[in-house]
């Protein structure tokens, strides 16, 4: 006999009760440079709001209440990219990026067709970035790597054609990401989402003028190398993100994540870098506007 399976709706309702309490608001507004509202809502519901409320509007409101007044909604396949582009047209606080995730691209029956769809979406005004694309050697094995690299190259070309920021997912693939960027020629604006390198890789990305977006991982006890990387990154090359519903910052690791928890990561970054909190917020905000704005 098998256990009764929890439906997606039941799971979302159960997890919605696990959202951490709201942190102390930031002194100045910042953005969440990388979030997956669609996945958050379907996997974990929303932190607050009643049954009839629009979950996206609630997520925006709850985040704005602690000083996170702008969100970048990130696509991982054609459906989520289209969803994000539509949401960005509807809500002034949201801008979108569109892409096929590096773990998704090798699984597609028709990569070229999917890339054509992404290119069509990339042309839309409220879509300000192409990503998350890149390379992931952790989840994709040898057999998928050729398709992953082909997809990454195509996304770089799309970002350049439409003058949008390139948002890179890099997992265990630092050297190969730089190799492909060098080979194709990097777009003007490159964001390394959920930066996961050490000080040496951070220094190289900084030298190239890329932006390093730090997620809740920077607050984890095991992340000394990442904090070293953050500490050497100039304040005007730092972005901050949730990657929600994943990577919830300490002290709430393991519970669902959402944009309203960004203040925990920003405060941790201020402590790590020695930056004044007010100045760090102002710098992150200005960088967000420069990279993705105007909202
Ligand atoms: Zn992501």
């Amino acid at each position: 006999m098998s256990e009764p399976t929890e439906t997606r709706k039941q799971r979302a309702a159960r997890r919605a009760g696990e959202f951490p309490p709201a942190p102390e608001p930031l002194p100045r507004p910042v953005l969440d440079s990388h979030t997956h509202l669609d996945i958050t809502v379907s996997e974990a519901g929303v932190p607050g709001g009643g049954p009839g409320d629009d979950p996206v509007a609630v997520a925006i409101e709850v985040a704005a209440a602690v000083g996170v007044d702008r969100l970048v909604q990130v696509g991982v396949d054609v459906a989520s990219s289209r969803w994000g582009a539509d949401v960005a047209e509807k809500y002034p606080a949201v801008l979108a990026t569109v892409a096929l995730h590096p773990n998704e691209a090798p699984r597609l029956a028709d990569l070229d067709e999917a890339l054509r769809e992404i290119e069509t979406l990339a042309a839309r005004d409220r879509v300000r970035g192409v990503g998350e694309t890149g390379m992931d050697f952790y989840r994709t094995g040898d057999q998928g790597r050729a398709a992953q690299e082909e997809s990454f190259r195509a996304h770089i070309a799309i970002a350049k054609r439409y003058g949008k920021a390139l948002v890179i997912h890099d997992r265990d693939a630092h050297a190969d990401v730089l190799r492909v960027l060098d080979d194709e020629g990097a777009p003007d604006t490159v964001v390394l989402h959920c930066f996961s390198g050490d000080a040496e890789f951070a220094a190289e990305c900084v030298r190239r003028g890329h932006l390093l977006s730090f997620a809740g991982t920077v607050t984890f006890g095991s992340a000394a190398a990442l904090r070293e990387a953050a500490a050497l990154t100039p304040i005007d090359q730092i972005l901050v993100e949730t990657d929600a519903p994943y990577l919830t910052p300490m002290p709430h690791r393991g519970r669902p994540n959402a944009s309203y928890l960004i203040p925990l990561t920003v405060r941790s970054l201020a402590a790590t870098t020695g930056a004044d909190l007010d100045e760090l917020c102002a710098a992150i905000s200005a960088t967000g506007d420069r990279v993705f704005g105007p909202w």
Side-chain angles (χ1 to χ4, degrees):
M1 243 185 73
S2 62
E3 297 282 321
T5 353
E6 201 176 29
T7 65
R8 170 168 280 201
K9 222 172 166 182
Q10 284 166 336
R11 181 181 141 83
R14 175 175 57 76
R15 295 217 74 202
E18 297 172 8
F19 275 106
E24 194 191 327
L26 291 169
R28 303 174 71 126
V30 300
L31 71 153
D32 179 353
S33 81
H34 189 117
T35 192
H36 301 281
L37 279 167
D38 51 338
I39 305 174
T40 306
V41 168
S42 80
E43 295 273 312
V46 272
D53 290 344
D54 167 9
V56 173
V58 171
I60 291 168
E61 203 177 299
V62 169
V66 293
V68 184
D69 66 351
R70 285 151 290 160
L71 321 177
V72 180
Q73 163 66 24
V74 174
V76 295
D77 55 22
V78 170
S80 66
S81 295
R82 190 177 295 127
W83 186 87
D86 290 345
V87 162
E89 279 166 13
K90 187 170 168 198
Y91 302 88
V94 180
L95 290 173
T97 73
V98 296
L100 311 171
H101 192 283
N103 291 323
E104 177 67 21
R107 290 200 287 255
L108 294 171
D110 192 343
L111 178 60
D112 289 340
E113 171 59 22
L115 285 166
R116 275 193 291 277
E117 302 244 20
I118 293 299
E119 172 145 13
T120 304
L121 291 168
R124 284 163 66 169
D125 173 57
R126 299 283 293 169
V127 173
R128 303 292 171 77
V130 173
E132 55 188 292
T133 179
M135 308 189 83
D136 185 322
F137 293 167
Y138 180 79
R139 286 232 163 79
T140 296
D142 292 339
Q143 77 292 346
R145 284 190 189 169
Q148 187 173 83
E149 182 169 326
E150 183 193 340
S151 173
F152 183 30
R153 288 177 186 272
H155 282 85
I156 295 170
I158 294 170
K160 290 201 285 193
R161 255 193 309 277
Y162 295 90
K164 313 269 168 151
L166 181 72
V167 176
I168 294 182
H169 169 106
D170 157 28
R171 188 151 184 199
D172 296 349
H174 307 323
D176 284 87
V177 162
L178 295 184
R179 170 181 60 79
V180 175
L181 277 176
D182 282 342
D183 205 36
E184 293 289 327
D188 292 340
T189 308
V190 174
V191 177
L192 286 124
H193 126 72
C194 187
F195 184 80
S196 61
D198 59 7
E200 191 189 338
F201 184 58
E204 179 57 26
C205 294
V206 165
R207 193 188 64 75
R208 291 164 177 249
H210 301 339
L211 291 313
L212 283 63
S213 184
F214 292 94
T217 41
V218 79
T219 70
F220 295 175
S222 55
L226 191 54
R227 280 188 287 278
E228 235 179 273
L232 67 75
T233 306
I235 195 168
D236 60 354
Q237 284 178 261
I238 289 178
L239 281 168
V240 69
E241 66 173 70
T242 53
D243 201 19
Y246 316 110
L247 308 179
T248 311
M250 292 298 282
H252 304 300
R253 192 175 178 181
R255 295 165 77 173
N257 199 6
S259 300
Y260 77 101
L261 294 171
I262 280 279
L264 297 169
T265 304
V266 174
R267 285 200 165 82
S268 166
L269 271 174
T272 295
T273 59
D276 174 72
L277 181 63
D278 217 68
E279 273 172 40
L280 181 61
C281 291
I284 289 170
S285 185
T287 302
D289 284 343
R290 195 171 78 234
V291 170
F292 299 109
W295 252 259

